Amino acid sequence: MKKLITLLFLGGGLQAQELNFEVDLRSYQYDLTLTTSAPTEPYLDLEIPAWSPGYYQVMDFGKNFHDFHAYNEYGDTLRWIKFGHNTWRIYTSNTKELKVKYKVRAERNFVGTAFIDKERAFLKPSALFLHRKNEKDTPAQIHIHAPSEWTKVATGLDSLKAYTYYAKDVDILYDSPLLIGELKELPPFEIGGKKHRFLGYAMGTFDGLRLMNDLKKIISTAIELIGDIPYEHYTFIGLGPGNGGIEQLNSTAVAFTGQELEGPGRTRTLSFLTHEYFHHFNAKRIRPIELGPFDYSQPNRTNMLWVAEGLTAYYENIIMNRAGLLSAEEMKKAWSASIANFQKNPGRLKQTLAESSAKTWEDGPFGKKGETISYYEKGPLVGMLLDIRIRTATQNTRSLDDVMRYLYHEIYKKGNRGYTDAEFIKICEKYAGTPLDDIFQYVYSTKELDYAHYFRMIGIDLDENYQMTLRKDQTALQKKIYQDLFR
Ligand SMILES: [Zn+2]
């Protein structure tokens, strides 16, 4: 079916209401031309997002647009006005086809926005490509004119021919960044017949095959956990030195260099890549109901980033451990350090976990230390207690894994939607077979987490520094749960 659509599309040329982008990078800046059909109404509103999924901050990408011009099919100038930062109204009377030319400033080297310099371009679609307001089903085609030395492209988009890419709608367009330059590609691998690639800029010299072997273990473990491979191909897009990563449905863009894989940084880097990879399940597909379909024009507020981000952080260690890349001892140390770190923040008594999610648009992605909390810090800790609670309530026949699988297969795949706060609680309680008010009070109130209580349930004592020791009276069942968690 997918092939057929592509062929029809290729044969038909420019479809009605299609977005057709020419991206000229040959002078190492963003020169864009959008061609699209004019509407029957006397004007067309074109919009650029105020924010981009995966980075929950208002960016107002239209602020970076300049040299904006609109023309009809004869090259006559069309009148336009701008609303706010992100909307352009083009007056299109007696126009069949509309051409808009504009430039975009892109000097900030950051995974959350577009960037270009003499060596590479990171095309963040939500920062570059306009869409027709309220017409998110519009397909888009991108043709790139790159400097001749920029021979490689890293993206999750399907390619129609060299430097030409196709997105079936605006959501896919905005979900698909592209990196172009003199990139290096690591040896790809397949899982379940699906190709996994890693291309990057300035990755440095390191053992690329070893990294890909480790990633294969990580990805196989994550796929085994959820029980599906939902994409046709997956691409890691390495942006070079820097910080941060953003997830998409079939790719992730990550600040990455190979030097970080040497020495003790290796575990941290692999955990980071595990996190970004697992997001295509948890955050992109398993998602809060507020996070998709998206409203790109304003903040999409949810209480549930503690699940989308926090449980993804929880599963970093779990997946690394099951993949044989993090020992039980290392994992225990990591949990102890995470607990100690969170307990040092006075913000834990001032803001609930749900609030930290809803207010991230004001507080910033990691919160305001001392004043608020971060769902990246408290989220995984609540996830850990929740997992212990479900396991102990069910003689270890159920776990948080079952909750994640249900969310994926029933809510996302069958329901084709996100989950609500209430549903998440209900699904956890369904698997635990008991009310979980004791756990969810840690989400919706600032009550202090009683770590010792839950660790005692699996025969572990925590000392004042949250270091774990096995209790002498640990039962066989407690031992089994403990060994399942720390393999
Ligand atoms: Zn994340």
Side-chain angles (χ1 to χ4, degrees):
M1 192 58 197
K2 196 164 149 265
K3 274 232 165 66
L4 182 67
I5 290 168
T6 308
L7 288 173
L8 285 173
F9 171 78
L10 278 170
L14 186 67
Q15 285 181 338
Q17 275 126 36
E18 187 184 300
L19 298 166
N20 212 300
F21 293 97
E22 295 285 329
V23 184
D24 193 342
L25 308 175
R26 285 170 294 193
S27 47
Y28 305 99
Q29 58 175 14
Y30 284 111
D31 281 302
L32 289 103
T33 304
L34 163 63
T35 307
T36 192
S37 60
T40 45
E41 294 78 32
Y43 60 81
L44 176 67
D45 284 345
L46 293 174
E47 243 180 20
I48 195 77
W51 70 287
S52 195
Y55 188 65
Y56 307 100
Q57 302 294 307
V58 172
M59 299 291 277
D60 284 331
F61 292 111
K63 282 181 182 171
N64 302 319
F65 282 43
H66 61 106
D67 281 293
F68 191 97
H69 304 278
Y71 306 96
N72 66 13
E73 64 269 31
Y74 305 108
D76 304 323
T77 301
L78 297 176
R79 191 163 63 86
W80 56 269
I81 51 172
K82 193 176 177 190
F83 297 103
H85 290 301
N86 305 316
T87 308
W88 287 258
R89 175 165 294 175
I90 323 282
Y91 292 93
T92 51
S93 298
N94 304 317
T95 299
K96 280 206 185 76
E97 194 179 79
L98 164 75
K99 215 178 259 302
V100 174
K101 290 177 177 287
Y102 57 99
K103 297 180 197 289
V104 180
R105 274 184 298 274
E107 290 135 16
R108 184 179 172 202
N109 182 9
F110 170 56
V111 63
T113 190
F115 178 74
I116 187 166
D117 69 3
K118 287 275 156 62
E119 297 186 352
R120 83 287 203 191
F122 178 57
L123 282 71
K124 178 82 179 167
S126 42
L128 296 172
F129 300 129
L130 292 159
H131 68 272
R132 301 164 68 104
K133 187 174 180 164
N134 301 326
E135 295 181 37
K136 280 185 12 187
D137 292 337
T138 319
Q141 199 179 137
I142 303 167
H143 184 67
I144 297 164
H145 306 270
S148 58
E149 71 276 17
W150 291 6
T151 52
K152 271 204 150 72
V153 183
T155 182
L157 281 176
D158 288 319
S159 170
L160 298 173
K161 55 185 182 192
Y163 296 101
T164 303
Y165 298 88
Y166 172 71
K168 75 173 172 60
D169 58 35
V170 170
D171 284 326
I172 295 297
L173 175 69
Y174 289 156
D175 190 61
S176 307
L178 305 96
L179 177 69
I180 306 176
E182 291 179 71
L183 311 182
K184 192 169 126 188
E185 176 158 17
L186 304 178
F189 58 81
E190 285 194 5
I191 298 175
K194 310 287 177 73
K195 191 170 182 183
H196 294 73
R197 305 175 72 192
F198 197 131
L199 295 100
Y201 162 78
M203 290 200 284
T205 309
F206 65 104
D207 189 343
L209 185 60
R210 184 177 170 211
L211 171 63
M212 293 307 272
N213 284 337
D214 285 352
L215 280 179
K216 191 172 182 182
K217 290 177 200 159
I218 287 165
I219 292 171
S220 301
T221 304
I223 287 169
E224 198 179 313
L225 196 161
I226 300 296
D228 197 20
I229 313 177
Y231 46 74
E232 291 306 311
H233 48 80
Y234 188 92
T235 305
F236 289 88
I237 304 170
L239 302 180
N243 283 305
I246 290 184
E247 63 278 5
Q248 292 95 36
L249 287 167
N250 69 352
S251 70
T252 180
V254 288
F256 174 85
T257 70
Q259 281 91 316
E260 294 152 13
L261 290 167
E262 304 303 324
R266 185 171 190 87
T267 302
R268 196 172 53 240
T269 303
L270 290 178
S271 293
F272 166 57
L273 295 174
T274 303
H275 179 104
E276 297 305 330
Y277 174 78
F278 192 60
H279 262 324
H280 85 78
F281 287 123
N282 188 35
K284 296 305 298 183
R285 293 184 171 91
I286 300 171
R287 62 180 190 265
I289 197 153
E290 298 86 358
L291 292 182
F294 301 108
D295 175 355
Y296 297 104
S297 70
Q298 58 179 336
N300 290 199
R301 223 171 270 277
T302 173
N303 288 327
M304 300 303 274
L305 286 174
W306 77 270
V307 173
E309 286 296 344
L311 294 192
T312 299
Y314 175 66
Y315 273 104
E316 280 173 38
N317 283 351
I318 297 281
I319 291 168
M320 289 271 289
N321 175 249
R322 288 181 195 171
L325 297 165
L326 186 76
S327 71
E329 279 312 306
E330 288 171 315
M331 193 176 171
K332 278 158 65 180
K333 274 200 191 117
W335 286 130
S336 298
S338 298
I339 296 172
N341 177 54
F342 177 68
Q343 289 303 116
K344 275 196 302 225
N345 180 5
R348 75 188 190 282
L349 303 172
K350 299 178 186 170
Q351 188 181 55
T352 71
L353 188 50
E355 274 181 300
S356 78
S357 172
K359 292 198 70 190
T360 188
W361 297 91
E362 288 78 30
D363 294 345
F366 305 105
K368 293 176 181 155
K369 203 88 179 171
E371 289 306 309
T372 72
I373 57 166
S374 163
Y375 43 78
Y376 289 102
E377 290 177 2
K378 189 174 180 182
L381 299 179
V382 172
M384 181 172 61
L385 302 190
L386 175 60
D387 203 1
I388 290 175
R389 185 74 168 80
I390 296 173
R391 286 172 185 273
T392 51
T394 60
Q395 280 75 50
N396 203 32
T397 59
R398 296 296 189 186
S399 72
L400 192 56
D401 296 359
D402 292 291
V403 173
M404 300 310 282
R405 280 191 284 270
Y406 185 92
L407 289 167
Y408 179 82
H409 292 280
E410 299 301 319
I411 307 283
Y412 160 69
K413 242 189 142 172
K414 284 193 194 145
N416 191 26
R417 63 182 180 87
Y419 54 82
T420 65
D421 291 38
E423 271 175 329
F424 183 82
I425 295 171
K426 216 173 113 191
I427 294 160
C428 290
E429 292 184 336
K430 168 179 129 78
Y431 281 108
T434 182
L436 295 172
D437 301 326
D438 59 314
I439 293 292
F440 288 103
Q441 67 179 340
Y442 297 137
V443 176
Y444 297 98
S445 84
T446 55
K447 189 176 158 83
E448 290 266 41
L449 282 87
D450 190 352
Y451 310 99
H453 170 72
Y454 292 93
F455 276 92
R456 213 173 299 123
M457 286 179 167
I458 57 170
I460 303 285
D461 277 333
L462 286 186
D463 68 15
E464 65 275 17
N465 298 317
Y466 310 104
Q467 303 292 320
M468 302 175 195
T469 46
L470 291 189
R471 288 172 63 90
K472 288 207 174 64
D473 61 358
Q474 193 184 43
T475 66
L477 176 62
Q478 287 174 333
K479 189 173 180 184
K480 181 80 185 70
I481 296 174
Y482 167 75
Q483 286 176 340
D484 267 4
L485 282 171
F486 301 95
R487 294 181 193 180

